Structure formats: structure tokens, C-alpha cells
């Protein structure tokens, strides 16, 4: 059985691009609070590993979990809890480059596979009107850094270096490789 340990519709859609449909979806419930002084990449990897360990599964099941983190310098920009926090995040990224890290973890039996992908993203300078208009869409809710590149905020991103699907939330090349290694046969 293949289990997706994520409630993200985007991750389910991305898996479908690989020809993979999860047999079950079991989002783990873990504390995602960064540790004091924890840097974005190690934090993201730790989250993916903790998530994959938290999903209940039989030993023969293949479990996939992922975490996407937006980093501005050494700072982790999580999912904003309010429109004011989303505005703060977007203003901080306006006209600057930031990183989007997506870590994946796969568990089968007593084996673990882990990969992470770091992409660089440039956000154009945002006017107050653009920011207000975007925030009114509510698309920022539940999104690391307060935006999703595949949504309306895609208009704010003139340049990326790295994995587009990693920025969306599941780097397909790395995910396909790890799922093959874990023994999932139906991956394209």
C-alpha cells in the first residue's frame, strides 16, 4: 500500500503527474515549531523525517511525507497565522530573492530515504495595491511564506532557479527516484 502522509491537494496532484495515486492519505499531526536557532534547511529535513515517522503504517507499506519551507536568509517564514503576518512576510520578500526548500522522506519497513531540494526565487517589488489585492484573495492562507507560485502570486515571481515542482511542494524528479528505490513500481 502507498500512503501519502500529507493533506495537501497540491502534493496529490503532483503525484498524479508521476502516474501515482495514493491508496490512502494520512496527514501526520506533529509539532512544526522550529527549534531555537534552527536553520531553514535542517528544519525542513527534520519536519519531513518526523512526519514520515508519525504516520501509522504496516511495515510493508510505503509512506511519503514532505515539508516545504520558505527561507529569507537564515529566517524561516512559516504559514502566516493572520493577514498582517502574511503582509509582513510578503513585504520582506518584495524585490528580493529567497529560498524555497522542500524535503521529502519515504519509509518502508525499517528503511528511510530522504532528499531535499533548494530553489531560489525572486519576487518582484510589490506595490501596496498589488499586496492588498493579493491578500484579499485569501490565497496566502496555509501557504509557507504566505504565497503559492502556482496561484495568483505567480504573477509576482519573474525568476526561479531550481525545481518548480519543488517550489509547489513536491520535487518530482527526486520523488520519483526515491519512490522507485522504495519499491513503488507504478511510478513513471
Amino acid at each position: 500500500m502507498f500512503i501519502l502522509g500529507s493533506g495537501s491537494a497540491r502534493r496529490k496532484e503532483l503525484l498524479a503527474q508521476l502516474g501515482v495515486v495514493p491508496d490512502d492519505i494520512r496527514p501526520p499531526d506533529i509539532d512544526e515549531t522550529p527549534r531555537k536557532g534552527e536553520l531553514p534547511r535542517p528544519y525542513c529535513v527534520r519536519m519531513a523525517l518526523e512526519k514520515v515517522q508519525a504516520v501509522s503504517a504496516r511495515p510493508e507499506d510505503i509512506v511519503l511525507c514532505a515539508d516545504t519551507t520558505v527561507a529569507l536568509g537564515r529566517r524561516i517564514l512559516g504559514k502566516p497565522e493572520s493577514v498582517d503576518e502574511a503582509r509582513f512576510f510578503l513585504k520582506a520578500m518584495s524585490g528580493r530573492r529567497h529560498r524555497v526548500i522542500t524535503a521529502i522522506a519515504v519509509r518502508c519497513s525499517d528503511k528511510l530515504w530522504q532528499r531535499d531540494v533548494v530553489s531560489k526565487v525572486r519576487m518582484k517589488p510589490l506595490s501596496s495595491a498589488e499586496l492588498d489585492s493579493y491578500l484579499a484573495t485569501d490565497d496566502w492562507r496555509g501557504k509557507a511564506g504566505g504565497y503559492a507560485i502556482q496561484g495568483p502570486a505567480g504573477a509576482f515571481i519573474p525568476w526561479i532557479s531550481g525545481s518548480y515542482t519543488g517550489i509547489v511542494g513536491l520535487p518530482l524528479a527526486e520523488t520519483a527516484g526515491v519512490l522507485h528505490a522504495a519499491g513503488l513500481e507504478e511510478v513513471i
Side-chain angles (χ1 to χ4, degrees):
M1 177 186 289
F2 173 58
I3 300 165
L4 174 60
S6 172
S8 165
R10 294 173 301 283
R11 288 192 178 116
K12 188 177 171 189
E13 290 165 7
L14 287 166
L15 277 173
Q17 291 181 35
L18 295 176
V20 177
V21 177
D23 297 304
D24 199 4
I25 296 176
R26 300 180 190 167
D29 183 19
I30 66 164
D31 179 4
E32 296 189 37
T33 307
R35 294 176 179 151
K36 184 176 170 73
E38 191 169 28
L39 295 174
R41 191 171 182 176
Y43 163 78
C44 190
V45 169
R46 179 175 67 84
M47 286 297 95
L49 290 169
E50 285 186 13
K51 287 176 182 181
V52 84
Q53 294 292 6
V55 173
S56 84
R58 298 171 305 183
E60 66 272 16
D61 293 339
I62 297 172
V63 180
L64 167 68
C65 290
D67 187 76
T68 300
T69 298
V70 173
L72 188 59
R74 297 166 61 93
R75 184 168 179 203
I76 297 167
L77 301 183
K79 296 174 184 172
E81 294 181 16
S82 68
V83 70
D84 290 335
E85 189 174 31
R87 180 184 308 278
F88 177 79
F89 286 175
L90 293 163
K91 280 179 138 178
M93 291 183 286
S94 175
R96 298 178 64 188
R97 288 185 185 179
H98 61 277
R99 290 172 294 135
V100 177
I101 305 145
T102 296
I104 59 171
V106 171
R107 183 183 92 219
C108 183
S109 187
D110 60 351
K111 293 183 183 161
L112 271 176
W113 293 264
Q114 189 280 317
R115 298 284 181 278
D116 57 273
V117 175
V118 180
S119 301
K120 294 177 186 166
V121 179
R122 184 163 54 88
M123 188 172 283
K124 75 181 196 110
L126 302 176
S127 69
S128 293
E130 286 171 319
L131 196 52
D132 291 342
S133 177
Y134 171 70
L135 291 170
T137 69
D138 273 354
D139 189 64
W140 58 270
R141 292 185 188 278
K143 312 279 186 352
Y147 80 95
I149 195 170
Q150 73 277 15
F156 302 156
I157 311 295
W159 177 89
I160 71 165
S161 175
S163 168
Y164 175 81
T165 57
I167 296 167
V168 174
L170 195 67
L172 290 185
E174 293 77 7
T175 301
V178 169
L179 290 175
H180 273 295
L184 193 64
E185 300 296 328
E186 60 263 28
V187 180
I188 292 175

